[in-house]
Each structure stands twice: as C-alpha cells, then as structure tokens.
Amino acid sequence: MDDYVKRKLQEWVLSEYIDNFKGQQISETNFKLLLGEEKAQETLIPPWGPRLQFKKKLGELCNNEIEPSTSKMLSPCATSTPGKRNTDEANPPIAKRLCGTSLGRADDMTKGKQIMKRVKGKLQSKPADQQSSLKYKEFLSHKIKVLETDKKEVVGVFGKTGAGKSSLINRILDQGNLLPSGDVSACTSVMIQVEANMTRDGKYTAEIEFITKEEWEEELQSILAERKSEEGNDDEKEDSDGDTDEYEDADKIYALYREDGNEASVNNLMDSRHFKSIPEFLSGKKKEFKTSQAEELSRELWCYLRSDILSNEQQYWPLVKSVTIKIPNVKDLLEHIVLIDLPGNGDCNKSRDEMWKSVVGRCTTVWIVSEINRPVSEKEAWEILDRSVSYLGHGGQCRSISFICTKTDNICVDDDMNKERDSILSRNKVAKKKVEEKFNKQPKIKEHFNIDKDFFQVFTVSSKEYRKNRVLQPEDTEIPKLQEFLRNLNDRRTKTSDYVSGAYGILSLIQGAKSSDMTDRKKEVCQVLENNLKEGLETIGQSMDEAYEAFERCLSEGVRQSVETCEKIAKDKVIEPKGRNGRGYHKVLKSLCKNNGVYKPIRKKGKNGQREINLNDSLASCMRDLTNETFKKYFPNQGKGSSINDLIDNFTLDTNSLVEKHPEVSLHLTFLKTEETKLKAKLKRDIRERKKEIYNILPKSISDTMRPCYERAAQYTGTDSLESMRKELRNHLKTFKEEIFHKGKKEMLDLLKEIKKHIVEELEHELQESMSQSLKTPDSLLVPDVSEEYEEMKKCYEKLPSSTNATTTA
C-alpha cells in the first residue's frame, strides 16, 4: 500500500482499516476501482457505518476526478472488441469488471456527450454550399438537440407537518440539516423541490419563486373581507361543529407584517416598504442563493419555508410559490430524479393550487410519510392518499406508492439496548403488515391502478438512528433501502444506453451519407419501409377505433345515469349536505360559487379542518366511475396488456430484417431504427400527457357549462342568500342537465380522436422525414468527416447490454 491510500483513509477518519487495505495490496492505481465493488468494500471495511462513509467519500472523489482519471481506468474496456478476450494480464481483475459498474456507464455518457459536442462543432464550422446540404445539417443539429433533453422522474413526498419529511430527505441525501426541521411549525403551503446540482462548482443553490403581486393583493382583499364580515357575528365564527376557527390566514398576515398588519387596509399592506428585503417579489423575478455548505443555505431559506409565531423576524413564506434546491455530490441518487416535498392538498391561492395539481400529476413515485406510532389510524396520511389518487392515477403517471413510517426509534423500553432493538424491529414488522392490509382495502386505488407486487411498499425508518447508530444498525433504519430505491429509479444505465444508442444512430446516418452511389438499392429499401409504415399505421388506426368505441359505450351509459342522479348527488353532497345547517354554511356555498364550483377550506392550526367540496367532480363521478376500467385498460400507468402504449411498442419498420438483405445500407437502417425507438418513446410521453387531459376534461367541461349559474349564485347577499343560491343551483341543473353531460361526453371523445390523429400523423411525418434524409438525399451532399467520432461511439454502443435491441425509455 502506498502513502496515497493511507493519507485518504486518515483524511476520511478510517485509519483503523489501513492494515486491511495494506493486506489486500490496494494502491493508488487500483484504489478508485473499488467504486461499485460492494463485496470488496465489505471485506476491507466490515461495519456498515464506516463502509457507508467510505462509499460516499470514494464516490465524491471519483466524481471530482472522473475526466482525468477514467481514461486510464477504463482502457481495457474502451479498447476491447466484442467477442474477443482481453489478454492484458497487467490489469487486475477488478479493472476488467469496471465496464459493468455505474462508473463505467457514467463515463460512456460523459464520453458520448463529448463526442457529440465535437460533431456539433463540425456541423457549424463550415457553411453549407448547397441548399440540400444546409437542410441536412439543420436536420442533424435538431436531432442532436432532442437527444440531449433530459427527462426526470418525479418523487412526491407527502405527509402532515411534523411527520419527519424534512429529516427523512436530509438523511437519505446525507445532507445534515439542509431542509429546516424541528419544533417550529412548518409552512405547509410551500412546495420544496430538491435535485442534483450537475455543475462542477460544488455549490448548494436555491431558487425561490413568488406568487404575483396581483395574487397577493387578491388574497389580502379576501382575508380582510372575511375578517370584516365576522366582526360582531359570533355565529359565523363557528363551523358546523361549533368549533371556533383559528385561521392560517391570520398567521399569514402576522408572519409578513407583524404588528403592522393590525387594522391595516389592503393599500397599506401592499406598500413597497413591506417588501424592501425581497425586491424580487415586486419585480416578478426569482430570488437566488448560492452557498458552500448545506447548513448555510438552510439558514438563508428559513424565513421562506417556516412559520414561527414566536420569532420577531419577518417571514416571507406567505408569498412563496415554490423553492427549488440543488445540491452537489448526489449524482448517483438524483441525476435524473426530482424530490418534491409537497403539501398534503392544494392551496387556496390559485397559482399554488394549480402548481400542486400539475406536480402531483407528474409524480412517477409517491412517498406517504407518517409517524410509526399511528400508521393505520393516522387520518391525515390516508386522507392525503385518498384526495390525491385521481391526480396520481388516471389523471397522472404514478407507477408506485410507498408508505414510510418514521421515528421508529421512539419507543419506551428498559435501558437494555438489545431489548430495545428487538422491540423496535418487532413493532416495525407489525406496522408493515397493518399498513399493507389497510392499503389493500382502499377502493379508489384499485380503480386507478393495476396492482402488482412492486406497486406498494412499506418502509420503517429512523433518521435519528441512521445518524447516531445508538441501537440500530444502518440497515435496520431502512434509510439504505430508500437510497437504493432512488438509485434504481435514477437508472443511470438506461439513460446512458438511451443517449449512446441515439447518438450512434445519428453518427451512422452521417457516415452513411459519405458512401458511394447506391440510389437503386436505397430506393428499393425505401419502398419496403414505406409499405411497412403504411401497414403499421393501419393497425394502429384500427386499434384506436376500438378504444374509441369502448369509451363511447361507457360514456353513453354514464350520461344516462348522470342525468337521472345528478340532482340528488348535488343536493346530498353540496347543496344541502347532511350535518351542515344554515349557520355559516352560506359562506361555504358562496365561496364554492365564487371559485367556479370548488370550495377549498382554510386550514386550521393543529386540525385537519374541512375537506374540499367540488361540485364539478361530484357531478362527473358517474361518468368517471363507468370509464375507470376502460381507462385502466387503455391508459395504465404501469403493467402491460392491451394498452395504447403496447400498441406503440408493437409498431415497427422492421429494419432488422432489411439489414440482413441489404447490408450495404446498414448505416442508414441503424439510424432509422434508433429514430423509430426515440419517436415511440416520445409518443408514449405524449400519450401520458394527453390522457391526463382526457381524464380531467369531464369536471372541466361541467365547470364551464355551470359557470353562468355559479356567477349568478355568487351575487346573492342578505338573510335569504343561502336559499337563493341553493335554488339557483337546483334550477340550473334541472334545466340543463342533458346539455351538461352530453357536452362532457362529446369533449372527451373529441380528445380521443385527437390522440389517434396525433399518433398517426407523428409516426408518418417523422419517419417519412427520417427516411427522406437517410435514403432519398443526393450522393453529392457535403457532410463533415465524422469517421473518428463514429468509431469512438460505436465502441460505446457495443458495450451496451443487448445493444442490438437497445430501447429508449419513456
């Protein structure tokens, strides 16, 4: 062992393991090759805690030095030929296995991007003399740009205030106290987005987006009007259960204005002097921070994220729409992932509410966080799941849900540590079983998802024990399991395969364009491909027609049932719900009418408060219930079957069979194969977004048709206003119910027609364009020489697992 290894171990406070490294002859040459070698690391450092520390430090070291170091480390892989054994015995076995590690794949991505950067430079370096060459270069430049677009997975983290979300995220990312946590009240309306800082500066950054001045002024007007209407009227200060409301709105005023908020007018509260510390709010810009340490950034963000009525400092969280935090050295966990700490429900503020719905709809994974002492009886955690399921399921793209029980170390036992550990693990096992049983009884989940063994998981974690290791081993805390969960979702290997295969296809096209005259053979191949395209589009069209007919049948029955039951549904759920008397309920109904059919309750301090009331959703419920199974069949978020995604997957130009018959145009066909794969992945993303629109069109259509009624009802005032609003709603439904539901049906079916049209037109246009550029271009094209780049990329491509069948993910 040389001094380099010894120095590093001393630097990382791992001196006691120096002899182990010495005994295994670990030197500077092979030290970094330990990255990803789990068994080797376990032999050198048996205890979990120190081994995790070593793993983290080694990862940081390799990330910082990857470019200057990997060319030497990867030389056996980079120069090997598929099928040919490397006989360079000077390299240790660990180096030969490096091609399969995450470091080797990451280097292929880095190397691939460097190659394509050179190609872009060559395309831009010389102006094209011919119009056809100019168009060809523009086509190639566009393809490279599309290739470099990164699609990230979104993990939504839900949970009530105090459940331990911030501590959980801090521990998983090993970031100390990056997200503020503690005894102060968390601000539940601020959305916090955490992702990797992929620059080389190693800084912690934050970007704060504010609501607009107009939105805040409107919110102030609403708060002050509410306050004024309650003065001297004790009845209206009580809800239907007789509890006095303690509004979060009062905290908003105090947080931002302190004593200046008492008795002030809207004009006074909007005065610029109140915002002198945040000029970005007034100018409509984002506020940015950049620090060297996590704790330093946390201090800067405190007043934007947390509500503390005991503090004398001005707090700005009422004005914050979202916060995006980027942290360094987490590439293995977050390179292709965004972690979002979400409020449990939408917000009274319109822009925050719309952002909440949009983000929840983009979540591919959801974590529901609750304390271990009440995982099944904790009402709020399960209500969050219930309220969000339609945005995650048919209205979203969620593929897995995890329930995370936190604070597992909070247990009362004797001072016997072994007994304490056994008690914690025993309770964890029981909690997992009970949570799984309750989850399996949730009816809405089964309506929206195809449940399989990987869809739902339960984790029992202790952020405190992971940090202290007092009683539990790291693996007992299950933080390492969640880290592995993120690594699998991050899936750097697939991202590398996608990029390298796409880049190889582009370079194959450029290289093929330099081939000698093959006009007749190109024409023959092109004819076959166009026939394959035509047949494939006909199959897709027929299958999409079957989907349309299935939806039409469900919606027709839904219209019939909705017309029969809508008046009763509206009465029981909104107009005259049981248990809600006139005292104070007229304010709920008026708020609902002002907000186009949706009432969002103001959250109370320390209470769950009332649930959202959405008349549009209630009226759409029959039609939605009858289409749920059809949605799950044709637009599932996960699983395979007869879905539209499967239809796209089965489409093919069958370029592989043509390569065997026409090897002379194999480069052109390689390009077409990779373009087909990328296009199908894009179409599946398009389908995912459009199916959200299709699912959400029913309540939107109903809202639009009901709008005149809502506007009229909202105008009523005085002692009889409640009954007048009820009468307005009843009469409108009775008169226009046929129109309301037939219009909703038509709009949904129109969107289904649009999705068929989009799929067919995209496939036809994009593939015809690709065929034209690869097989119909003149042989006199002026293209740059990319022979060297092609050969380098080919080596990367051939190292990919099953490279001949590489597919691009959606």
Side-chain angles (χ1 to χ4, degrees):
M1 183 182 72
D2 53 29
D3 289 341
Y4 175 84
V5 176
K6 183 177 180 180
R7 188 170 64 252
K8 285 297 176 186
L9 292 174
Q10 290 171 338
E11 216 174 278
W12 299 344
V13 197
L14 297 168
S15 303
E16 60 191 289
Y17 303 105
I18 288 175
D19 288 343
N20 293 359
F21 281 73
K22 185 176 181 180
Q24 295 297 325
Q25 299 180 10
I26 304 298
S27 64
E28 182 176 0
T29 305
N30 53 35
F31 183 65
K32 297 185 187 72
L33 300 180
L34 288 169
L35 186 69
E37 295 293 329
E38 301 292 340
K39 291 184 178 180
Q41 290 181 25
E42 186 176 355
T43 301
L44 294 165
I45 308 177
W48 257 92
R51 188 161 77 251
L52 288 170
Q53 171 74 0
F54 174 79
K55 187 175 183 178
K56 175 178 180 290
K57 293 292 186 181
L58 184 60
E60 291 173 358
L61 176 67
C62 291
N63 280 339
N64 290 335
E65 300 180 8
I66 189 166
E67 283 196 6
S69 62
T70 48
S71 60
K72 294 178 182 178
M73 293 161 59
L74 293 176
S75 56
C77 303
T79 58
S80 63
T81 303
K84 181 180 178 181
R85 184 183 175 192
N86 192 320
T87 57
D88 186 2
E89 299 301 330
N91 293 288
I94 192 171
K96 296 180 182 178
R97 296 194 300 270
L98 189 57
C99 286
T101 68
S102 60
L103 179 60
R105 290 189 297 268
D107 181 70
D108 284 341
M109 173 74 91
T110 303
K111 186 175 182 180
K113 289 187 174 183
Q114 290 172 345
I115 292 170
M116 296 311 288
K117 187 176 180 180
R118 293 186 346 238
V119 173
K120 279 197 297 184
K122 288 185 176 183
L123 288 172
Q124 297 167 0
S125 62
K126 293 182 180 180
D129 297 327
Q130 303 171 338
Q131 185 63 33
S132 57
S133 296
L134 176 62
K135 185 179 178 182
Y136 189 72
K137 287 187 175 183
E138 289 174 349
F139 173 80
L140 292 171
S141 296
H142 172 70
K143 291 298 179 183
I144 295 173
K145 183 179 180 181
V146 171
L147 183 66
E148 293 173 348
T149 304
D150 187 20
K151 281 76 68 175
K152 295 196 174 188
E153 304 280 343
V154 178
V155 178
V157 186
F158 293 86
K160 74 171 188 177
T161 301
K165 289 188 296 177
S166 296
S167 296
L168 175 70
I169 294 173
N170 287 338
R171 291 288 81 76
I172 289 173
L173 302 179
D174 198 14
Q175 293 298 321
N177 296 315
L178 175 64
L179 298 185
S181 60
D183 297 328
V184 296
S185 299
C187 171
T188 57
S189 63
V190 175
M191 194 178 300
I192 306 172
Q193 181 168 305
V194 182
E195 53 190 84
N197 179 1
M198 296 302 294
T199 67
R200 292 180 173 273
D201 64 4
K203 298 291 186 181
Y204 292 82
T205 68
E207 186 177 81
I208 299 173
E209 181 180 358
F210 298 100
I211 61 175
T212 65
K213 288 187 297 181
E214 293 74 21
E215 287 171 335
W216 179 238
E217 185 171 1
E218 185 179 336
E219 199 165 336
L220 286 175
Q221 288 171 345
S222 177
I223 292 171
L224 297 187
E226 189 76 25
R227 182 186 290 175
K228 185 176 181 180
S229 70
E230 293 175 353
E231 290 176 358
N233 191 337
D234 292 335
D235 286 346
E236 289 192 1
K237 291 180 183 178
E238 298 183 351
D239 59 26
S240 60
D241 299 318
D243 295 328
T244 301
D245 282 355
E246 295 185 83
Y247 293 115
E248 183 187 87
D249 284 342
D251 288 349
K252 288 183 179 181
I253 297 293
Y254 184 75
L256 193 56
Y257 301 102
R258 292 301 190 252
E259 302 302 332
D260 291 346
N262 295 335
E263 310 300 328
S265 67
V266 172
N267 286 338
N268 287 335
L269 295 176
M270 288 302 296
D271 191 286
S272 59
R273 63 188 171 88
H274 296 297
F275 313 106
K276 60 184 179 182
S277 297
I278 46 170
E280 296 86 355
F281 168 71
L282 296 175
S283 61
K285 297 179 180 178
K286 296 178 181 180
K287 191 173 186 67
E288 298 179 351
F289 293 99
K290 182 177 284 192
T291 67
S292 299
Q293 300 296 327
E295 290 77 8
E296 187 181 352
L297 184 64
S298 180
R299 288 193 296 270
E300 295 280 10
L301 293 177
W302 184 87
C303 60
Y304 298 94
L305 300 179
R306 290 294 181 261
S307 169
D308 183 3
I309 59 173
L310 300 178
S311 172
N312 293 321
E313 296 181 18
Q314 190 178 18
Q315 295 159 36
Y316 307 111
W317 57 265
L319 305 176
V320 177
K321 185 176 179 180
S322 67
V323 177
T324 300
I325 297 172
K326 295 185 179 182
I327 56 182
N329 304 321
V330 289
K331 184 187 289 188
D332 64 322
L333 296 177
L334 295 185
E335 182 176 1
H336 306 293
I337 290 178
V338 178
L339 267 177
I340 304 184
D341 184 346
L342 284 155
N345 199 354
D347 194 271
C348 293
N349 176 273
K350 186 177 180 181
S351 67
R352 276 197 290 250
D353 186 57
E354 288 175 352
M355 175 175 272
W356 182 88
K357 290 177 181 177
S358 172
V359 170
V360 173
R362 289 191 293 111
C363 288
T364 47
T365 296
V366 165
W367 291 354
I368 308 290
V369 181
S370 178
E371 294 181 45
I372 185 104
N373 55 348
R374 296 173 58 200
V376 174
S377 60
E378 172 54 64
K379 187 177 180 182
E380 188 164 348
W382 293 98
E383 282 188 349
I384 288 171
L385 182 58
D386 185 65
R387 286 195 299 263
S388 306
V389 67
S390 65
Y391 297 105
L392 298 168
H394 298 327
Q397 58 192 66
C398 181
R399 298 195 301 268
S400 73
I401 296 175
S402 296
F403 201 99
I404 301 176
C405 302
T406 58
K407 304 181 182 180
T408 60
D409 54 283
N410 286 355
I411 195 167
C412 295
V413 294
D414 298 332
D415 290 336
D416 186 334
M417 294 179 68
N418 289 329
K419 186 177 180 181
E420 183 175 351
R421 179 177 182 270
D422 291 342
S423 298
I424 291 172
L425 297 181
S426 176
R427 182 177 66 174
N428 290 353
K429 187 176 181 180
V430 172
K432 286 188 176 189
K433 183 178 179 181
K434 288 184 175 180
V435 169
E436 287 172 354
E437 288 174 351
K438 180 158 185 174
F439 180 83
N440 289 330
K441 294 177 182 177
Q442 303 300 305
K444 283 189 178 181
I445 294 293
K446 293 179 181 178
E447 291 174 6
H448 284 260
F449 299 99
N450 295 314
I451 308 299
D452 56 32
K453 62 182 179 63
D454 298 320
F455 180 75
F456 183 70
Q457 297 183 71
V458 184
F459 296 90
T460 48
V461 308
S462 171
S463 300
K464 184 186 293 184
E465 277 295 312
Y466 180 72
R467 180 166 50 92
K468 293 185 175 181
N469 298 139
R470 185 183 66 85
V471 174
L472 301 178
Q473 293 296 312
E475 61 267 31
D476 295 333
T477 71
E478 298 203 353
I479 295 290
K481 282 188 178 181
L482 286 169
Q483 290 171 332
E484 189 61 26
F485 182 102
L486 287 181
R487 286 191 188 95
N488 290 335
L489 190 62
N490 197 32
D491 199 2
R492 296 176 71 196
R493 182 164 100 177
T494 299
K495 295 289 185 181
T496 299
S497 297
D498 291 348
Y499 186 89
V500 169
S501 59
Y504 179 60
I506 294 170
L507 287 168
S508 295
L509 174 62
I510 302 174
Q511 193 72 357
K514 296 175 69 66
S515 304
S516 59
D517 182 30
M518 295 184 296
T519 304
D520 292 340
R521 279 166 288 183
K522 284 182 180 180
K523 186 176 180 180
E524 181 184 345
V525 169
C526 195
Q527 185 64 52
V528 175
L529 290 171
E530 287 176 344
N531 289 337
N532 291 347
L533 175 60
K534 182 180 178 181
E535 291 174 5
L537 293 179
E538 287 175 355
T539 301
I540 287 176
Q542 291 168 3
S543 299
M544 290 296 296
D545 288 342
E546 292 172 8
Y548 180 92
E549 290 168 6
F551 274 100
E552 200 277 335
R553 288 191 295 271
C554 296
L555 288 169
S556 294
E557 177 61 19
V559 169
R560 187 189 67 79
Q561 291 187 20
S562 297
V563 169
E564 289 180 359
T565 62
C566 64
E567 293 177 68
K568 185 177 187 305
I569 288 173
K571 177 185 175 182
D572 293 346
K573 293 195 173 184
V574 178
I575 299 176
E576 297 179 57
K578 291 180 181 180
R580 302 300 297 266
N581 55 37
R583 184 177 59 184
Y585 189 64
H586 78 279
K587 294 193 324 186
V588 172
L589 201 56
K590 175 164 276 194
S591 175
L592 177 143
C593 291
K594 283 183 175 180
N595 198 32
N596 216 26
V598 181
Y599 167 70
K600 284 197 167 293
I602 300 170
R603 285 182 291 269
K604 303 175 191 176
K605 295 183 295 185
K607 298 182 182 180
N608 292 338
Q610 304 169 14
R611 297 191 67 176
E612 175 182 300
I613 302 173
N614 191 320
L615 179 54
N616 307 315
D617 277 352
S618 297
L619 293 174
S621 59
C622 275
M623 297 176 76
R624 276 185 159 180
D625 289 346
L626 287 167
T627 56
N628 274 336
E629 283 302 315
T630 308
F631 244 99
K632 197 161 65 171
K633 176 181 178 181
Y634 289 106
F635 298 108
N637 288 347
Q638 86 286 14
K640 287 188 172 291
S642 54
S643 71
I644 306 300
N645 278 348
D646 293 326
L647 194 62
I648 299 298
D649 282 336
N650 293 333
F651 171 87
T652 180
L653 291 176
D654 197 17
T655 53
N656 286 346
S657 65
L658 288 171
V659 169
E660 297 173 4
K661 297 177 183 176
H662 302 278
E664 66 277 3
V665 291
S666 61
L667 291 172
H668 308 76
L669 292 170
T670 296
F671 165 72
L672 288 172
K673 177 185 176 182
T674 57
E675 285 305 297
E676 176 193 311
T677 302
K678 288 190 294 180
L679 178 57
K680 292 198 292 187
K682 176 187 176 296
L683 281 174
K684 289 196 282 186
R685 292 193 297 272
D686 293 346
I687 291 167
R688 189 174 63 199
E689 294 306 313
R690 285 173 178 250
K691 71 102 174 182
K692 298 176 192 177
E693 185 182 2
I694 293 171
Y695 183 74
N696 291 320
I697 193 61
L698 289 177
K700 181 181 182 300
S701 175
I702 291 170
S703 173
D704 291 342
T705 312
M706 291 286 292
R707 182 176 284 110
C709 169
Y710 292 141
E711 291 173 351
R712 290 193 301 270
Q715 300 302 314
Y716 290 111
T717 57
T719 54
D720 296 327
S721 60
L722 176 60
E723 187 53 39
S724 297
M725 286 187 288
R726 285 172 168 167
K727 185 177 179 181
E728 187 72 50
L729 292 168
R730 283 195 296 261
N731 289 343
H732 189 86
L733 268 178
K734 187 173 184 178
T735 305
F736 296 102
K737 56 186 179 183
E738 290 275 355
E739 177 187 336
I740 289 170
F741 299 109
H742 278 287
K743 178 175 175 285
K745 171 190 170 182
K746 181 181 182 303
E747 291 185 9
M748 179 177 273
L749 291 176
D750 285 347
L751 288 176
L752 283 164
K753 288 180 183 176
E754 283 294 319
I755 203 170
K756 172 191 171 182
K757 181 182 177 184
H758 175 73
I759 292 170
V760 171
E761 287 184 351
E762 280 286 294
L763 282 170
E764 185 171 25
H765 175 267
E766 292 296 324
L767 291 178
Q768 283 284 11
E769 174 72 2
S770 294
M771 284 189 278
S772 176
Q773 294 295 337
S774 59
L775 297 170
K776 295 182 180 181
T777 52
D779 295 311
S780 58
L781 272 179
L782 298 174
V783 294
D785 183 4
V786 295
S787 302
E788 183 181 345
E789 287 80 6
Y790 169 78
E791 291 299 331
E792 289 181 54
M793 190 67 74
K794 184 178 180 181
K795 290 177 181 178
C796 294
Y797 179 76
E798 289 173 344
K799 286 191 294 181
L800 297 177
S802 303
S803 62
T804 55
N805 295 306
T807 58
T808 302
T809 60

